[in-house]
Amino acid sequence: MQQTSPGIRAVAFDFGGVLAHFIEESTLCHMADAAGVASEAFSAALWEHRADYDRGALDAGAYWGAVLDGCGSVEPREATAEALLELDSIGWSRINPATLRWARALKQHGYRTLIISNMAAPTYDMVIRDQLWMKHFEYVIISGWIGINKPDPGIFRRATSDLGLKPSEVLFVDDTPRNVAGARAAGLHALGFTDPDSLAAELAEQFPAVPIAGLVCRW
């Protein structure tokens, strides 16, 4: 059943998995090779400490040191950590053209656009900060700046407060179900993301006043 759009004034994007493609297995393989260990051991160590890194509890040196210790690497710490930071940044830099075009179209239609991401400050500096496409976003908040990771509703409340918006005026899009639930707990509207076509269909059904230009190629 189609619903009337509930006064959406802003659209918030997750970064990894929505605005950018998720890091590829091939990149993780190269990272494991740089560490001199098997991919499975490296990936397990990478994700074990990622939440602490993303919320700023670990700086880059401590995080990559913990990853190398966790996977059993015997490679030189400083040089290997630097190589891993570079490869990690490359891995998160593959922007999704569909969601970026949608953000551009939303802004042209008068919507406020923002990014709410679990991301360490060093990742932001290397992947996002100086990119030309950032002009399509009014506001960015990352967990590494405020010490709060999604799905904690606090990060969503901080974003809406900073922008002077009611939570009910914001639509949030994320590829992780628990983050969608966290946004809804904070009073935002939220949709899960799998691919541009599916998102366009959900928008047309649930938020028909929100434009979908750019999400789907016309030709």
Side-chain angles (χ1 to χ4, degrees):
M1 180 178 178
Q2 193 176 73
Q3 302 175 9
T4 302
S5 181
I8 301 297
R9 295 179 55 204
V11 177
F13 293 72
D14 172 40
F15 185 73
V18 177
L19 189 57
H21 294 289
F22 202 78
I23 191 168
E24 292 182 307
E25 287 298 324
S26 60
T27 302
L28 294 174
C29 180
H30 281 286
M31 295 174 76
D33 191 61
V37 298
S39 293
E40 294 80 4
F42 179 81
S43 292
L46 180 85
W47 299 119
E48 179 182 359
H49 304 285
R50 192 73 187 205
D52 287 337
Y53 181 45
D54 283 346
R55 67 181 174 86
L58 297 175
D59 64 19
Y63 171 64
W64 292 112
V67 171
L68 291 168
D69 289 343
C71 69
S73 173
V74 296
E75 296 296 320
R77 287 299 186 261
E78 185 174 350
T80 306
E82 182 178 342
L84 292 175
L85 177 61
E86 291 175 353
L87 289 168
D88 185 70
S89 299
I90 291 168
W92 293 108
S93 297
R94 299 181 306 118
I95 299 300
N96 187 326
T99 48
L100 181 59
R101 288 186 65 219
W102 183 44
R104 183 176 186 273
L106 287 167
K107 190 171 182 180
Q108 290 174 337
H109 281 83
Y111 287 83
R112 303 176 75 177
T113 51
L114 54 147
I115 297 170
I116 303 176
S117 179
N118 285 350
M119 180 181 291
T123 307
Y124 172 85
D125 290 341
M126 296 184 73
V127 175
I128 291 183
R129 185 180 61 192
D130 297 324
Q131 297 301 312
L132 179 63
W133 51 260
M134 275 296 292
K135 65 185 179 183
H136 303 308
F137 297 92
E138 173 184 348
Y139 172 92
V140 178
I141 189 167
I142 63 168
S143 55
W145 292 340
I146 64 170
I148 303 173
N149 280 341
K150 297 176 296 182
D152 189 316
I155 192 169
F156 302 105
R157 295 188 182 117
R158 172 68 177 271
T160 55
S161 175
D162 284 353
L163 289 172
L165 290 166
K166 298 176 182 177
S168 61
E169 295 175 324
V170 181
L171 171 63
F172 176 63
V173 180
D174 198 295
D175 64 312
T176 304
R178 66 178 180 273
N179 294 340
V180 171
R184 289 173 177 164
L188 285 69
H189 301 278
L191 292 175
F193 181 82
T194 53
D195 60 82
D197 288 348
S198 298
L199 179 60
E202 285 197 72
L203 287 165
E205 179 180 353
Q206 298 188 44
F207 304 99
V210 176
I212 60 173
L215 270 176
V216 181
C217 290
R218 292 173 294 172
W219 313 109

